[in-house]
Amino acid sequence: MVRTLETPDPLSRAIAPPQNETNAERWAREQREAQARRISEQIDEQIRAEKLAMKKRKQPVRLLLLGQSESGKSTTVKNFQLAYAYDAFLAERVAWRAVIHLNLVRSLNNILDVLWREISVDGVTNEAGARPYTPTSELHLMDGPLDADLDEEEDENEKAGQASEPLLTETHRVLMLRLGPLRQVQRDLERSLGAASSEEVHTGSGGAAPWNVSGGWRSREFSVTTRSGWKGALGRVRAAGRKSLDSTVGRHDKRAETPAFDVQVPARPKTAGARRTSVARDPLPEQDDEKLEEVDLEAAADIIASCADDMHALWTDPAVKAVLSKQGMRPEEGPGFFLNDVTRVAASNYKPSDDDVVRARLRTMGVQEHRITFEKGSDAGSEWLIYDVGGGRSLRHAWYPYFDDINAIIFLAPISCFDERLAEDKRINRLQDSLLLWKAVCSTKLLAKVQLILFLNKCDLLEKKLARGVRLADWVPTYGNKPNDVESVSRYFRSQFKDISARHSPTQRIFYSFLTSVVDTKATRITVATVHEGIQRTNLKNAVFL
């Protein structure tokens, strides 16, 4: 069809007033059109205001926490929340009750597993594998994975167990039977938090920084996945137990009456989003998540309270301590251990304290984003995005996409574990793994201009271990005849990490390090304040140069 000047414009025809329109109809139409124009202009003005506000708003500081599993990363996040976003921390605190109860019954059930194995063959069974770690051969700091003859060592342990007298009696067996209901409590609490305790996780025997991993499958400890994170798990606990918590624990302030959990983890900036499609960040809508069974949290708490005396009796029993010592187990030095406080934690009116929340253990898989809005001080209103990563070897491939727009990295290296092995690979010494991982981070070119901050963590456990007579030189021959005290050992570790940073960083960088015990909230508050000031100063300096 050929258009001519006389051909009517279709748009003009569409917006033309109706034929035979009356005065009243025309007035109504003009009023509608005027209202539509006002709404459109308001929307345009709002868009312009938001664009202007975004230009003026300070970009959030992005902090990445790295380190092997159980190095203290999630605990460090809680310390930042405790120091700079206490109102939000306080609003979440009551929901940690279920997590702490889970930690308590898991510790107890793990001990029961060892005791039942001990008592199963006339009290002489001493199975290898019940211990959290098995001593390795000598640690060579810069060498590859350790090779240990595990079978030979297990045979020696079995012979030693057969030569010992039974430690457990019928009284212990009856006590253990009375604690049997706690196994169902553990399963119920795990379901309420949204993941299975036997979740299969891909593991491999790759290097310390395996940005690409391959390997086998094995069962792992209870964890929550990237789809929801531990904040999402706490949100589900709160929703499932709202009535019981209201009646038994109560509200600590009016703020807790509103949702305290930002379950929808904020998305990363779109500037680098194309490179992060393989890493799940935003949880799926709740209806798309796994279907969770309704769990009566108060009923679980009642069972725990009824077993409190028996749990205390079992944990404080000298024969039980002897069995655990024979197995080389010290559960009280592990994360999320509350049996020393069982009377208080198992009480029906128990309310978690700040320290309880910091000590609580809820392992997170993948990468979790925590948005902290500073509530007071000169930085009030400013935001920090803290990324907490899964530290297992099979999870480290997810780290790399987060390297490109980070302001600073806190690397946590537990220095008390020089005589321990990785849970995911018994051939690898944990200290050696931290050193190799630190070397990989320092040498990554993408991080050449990123501020690296080293936390030599778990100094409290290091002091206890050295006080028991464990000698560093037996595991690290290069330590030589230096004094076997905390100050000398920590100074040696600091020098090792500093040397790696100096030799392997692409460009010269300042070495920042702190001796920490992140479960100690008072001491860590000072460290966190120093780190916050240093990161802000460096961030401001970089902004001036830009």
Side-chain angles (χ1 to χ4, degrees):
M1 175 181 177
V2 179
R3 280 191 180 277
T4 64
L5 293 176
E6 291 77 16
T7 304
D9 180 20
L11 181 59
S12 300
R13 185 165 51 186
I15 64 177
Q19 294 181 359
N20 304 322
E21 183 180 39
T22 66
N23 291 336
E25 291 172 341
R26 184 179 65 180
W27 180 87
R29 175 177 55 80
E30 290 176 348
Q31 291 298 313
R32 290 195 301 269
E33 292 175 352
Q35 178 66 10
R37 281 195 298 272
R38 284 194 296 270
I39 294 175
S40 178
E41 291 170 357
Q42 290 175 359
I43 293 174
D44 292 340
E45 180 61 28
Q46 184 179 355
I47 292 174
R48 285 193 293 269
E50 289 177 354
K51 288 182 177 179
L52 183 61
M54 289 181 64
K55 290 180 179 179
K56 293 181 178 180
R57 187 188 310 162
K58 292 173 58 178
Q59 289 296 315
V61 173
R62 292 183 170 83
L63 176 63
L64 181 63
L65 304 183
L66 300 181
Q68 63 185 211
S69 182
E70 296 188 11
S71 60
K73 298 181 295 297
S74 296
T75 307
T76 301
V77 172
K78 296 174 194 173
N79 275 283
F80 270 94
Q81 292 174 326
L82 194 59
Y84 298 111
Y86 186 66
D87 286 348
F89 180 91
L90 198 63
E92 295 178 353
R93 193 172 65 181
V94 68
W96 280 96
R97 181 186 187 221
V99 178
I100 294 168
H101 278 168
L102 174 60
N103 290 167
L104 177 67
V105 297
R106 282 195 84 243
S107 297
L108 193 284
N109 286 331
N110 287 339
I111 292 173
L112 287 177
D113 289 340
V114 175
L115 298 182
W116 280 118
R117 285 197 291 268
E118 178 74 14
I119 211 173
S120 61
V121 188
D122 296 328
V124 298
T125 301
N126 184 6
E127 294 188 7
R131 301 171 299 171
Y133 63 86
T134 306
T136 64
S137 57
E138 292 180 345
L139 168 65
H140 302 283
L141 289 174
M142 298 308 298
D143 289 345
L146 299 175
D147 293 323
D149 191 349
L150 299 179
D151 294 334
E152 180 179 339
E153 187 176 332
E154 290 171 2
D155 292 341
E156 292 176 359
N157 291 334
E158 186 177 355
K159 292 177 182 178
Q162 291 175 351
S164 64
E165 291 295 328
L167 295 170
L168 303 179
T169 65
E170 180 65 17
T171 302
H172 293 99
R173 191 181 72 84
V174 173
L175 180 61
M176 292 158 59
L177 287 173
R178 289 206 301 266
L179 292 170
L182 293 179
R183 296 192 182 277
Q184 183 60 45
V185 170
Q186 177 180 336
R187 288 191 287 269
D188 289 344
L189 290 173
E190 288 172 348
R191 284 200 300 271
S192 74
L193 290 167
S197 59
S198 59
E199 178 182 4
E200 289 185 329
V201 178
H202 195 232
T203 63
S205 57
W211 311 131
N212 294 304
V213 177
S214 61
W217 295 86
R218 72 183 192 89
S219 180
R220 299 294 295 273
E221 70 166 297
F222 177 80
S223 61
V224 290
T225 65
T226 317
R227 296 180 68 183
S228 58
W230 58 261
K231 277 186 173 290
L234 293 179
R236 287 193 293 270
V237 170
R238 189 179 189 126
R242 186 176 299 276
K243 289 185 180 180
S244 59
L245 289 177
D246 282 346
S247 60
T248 304
V249 180
R251 294 293 186 226
H252 53 270
D253 60 15
K254 291 183 179 179
R255 188 182 309 104
E257 295 175 2
T258 59
F261 304 98
D262 184 9
V263 179
Q264 295 296 324
V265 180
R268 296 276 300 207
K270 293 184 178 180
T271 53
R275 300 171 59 180
R276 293 187 173 85
T277 54
S278 62
V279 181
R281 296 184 305 275
D282 297 311
L284 297 177
E286 191 67 27
Q287 62 268 24
D288 292 337
D289 207 345
E290 57 184 324
K291 294 183 179 179
L292 306 178
E293 295 185 28
E294 188 96 11
V295 174
D296 189 342
L297 297 178
E298 200 54 39
D302 288 342
I303 296 174
I304 292 173
S306 68
C307 294
D309 292 340
D310 287 341
M311 286 191 283
H312 181 266
L314 185 80
W315 171 239
T316 57
D317 187 276
V320 172
K321 293 290 183 70
V323 171
L324 297 178
S325 178
K326 185 174 70 171
Q327 294 283 353
M329 291 183 63
R330 291 186 176 82
E332 67 275 14
E333 296 183 1
F337 184 82
F338 289 93
L339 278 172
N340 286 333
D341 306 296
V342 62
T343 303
R344 177 177 63 88
V345 171
S348 57
N349 61 347
Y350 166 64
K351 298 179 183 179
S353 66
D354 291 347
D355 287 343
D356 290 342
V357 173
V358 170
R359 289 166 50 205
R361 167 72 171 169
L362 186 58
R363 185 167 183 251
T364 303
M365 309 291 289
V367 181
Q368 298 300 322
E369 179 184 281
H370 302 269
R371 184 178 296 269
I372 295 180
T373 302
F374 284 62
E375 294 172 349
K376 57 183 67 175
S378 59
D379 293 328
S382 63
E383 288 185 337
W384 277 36
L385 300 181
I386 302 181
Y387 300 97
D388 179 14
V389 303
R393 284 198 162 198
S394 64
L395 304 174
R396 297 175 191 174
H397 66 280
W399 298 4
Y400 191 78
Y402 287 78
F403 285 177
D404 63 346
D405 58 352
I406 291 297
N407 299 103
I409 289 175
I410 294 180
F411 185 96
L412 290 102
I415 57 177
S416 64
C417 59
F418 59 84
D419 60 344
E420 302 175 23
R421 289 179 176 146
L422 287 177
E424 60 264 40
D425 192 338
K426 295 297 183 182
R427 300 171 302 170
I428 309 298
N429 180 280
R430 287 191 64 188
L431 174 61
Q432 183 184 43
D433 179 68
S434 283
L435 287 164
L436 294 174
L437 183 55
W438 172 250
K439 175 184 174 182
V441 171
C442 290
S443 60
T444 301
K445 293 182 179 180
L446 192 58
L447 302 175
K449 297 186 181 300
V450 174
Q451 184 178 6
L452 299 185
I453 302 164
L454 175 67
F455 279 14
L456 297 174
N457 196 31
K458 302 196 176 182
C459 292
D460 54 334
L461 299 183
L462 174 66
E463 184 175 8
K464 293 178 181 178
K465 184 169 290 187
L466 298 178
R468 291 199 304 266
V470 181
R471 298 180 66 253
L472 178 62
D474 293 339
W475 303 91
V476 185
T478 54
Y479 186 69
N481 296 321
K482 301 180 183 68
N484 198 58
D485 56 70
V486 175
E487 184 178 354
S488 302
V489 169
S490 58
R491 187 187 309 117
Y492 174 78
F493 285 144
R494 190 196 296 262
S495 67
Q496 294 293 322
F497 281 91
K498 182 177 182 180
D499 180 65
I500 291 174
S501 176
R503 289 193 290 115
H504 296 283
S505 294
T507 59
Q508 186 177 5
R509 56 162 44 109
I510 300 175
F511 179 72
Y512 300 98
S513 67
F514 299 87
L515 298 175
T516 61
S517 299
V518 292
V519 293
D520 183 349
T521 55
K522 292 182 180 179
T524 306
R525 180 182 291 269
I526 300 173
T527 302
V528 164
T530 304
V531 169
H532 163 251
E533 182 181 351
I535 292 176
Q536 289 285 63
R537 187 166 52 246
T538 301
N539 197 37
L540 180 62
K541 185 193 304 182
N542 293 339
V544 171
F545 284 131
L546 290 175

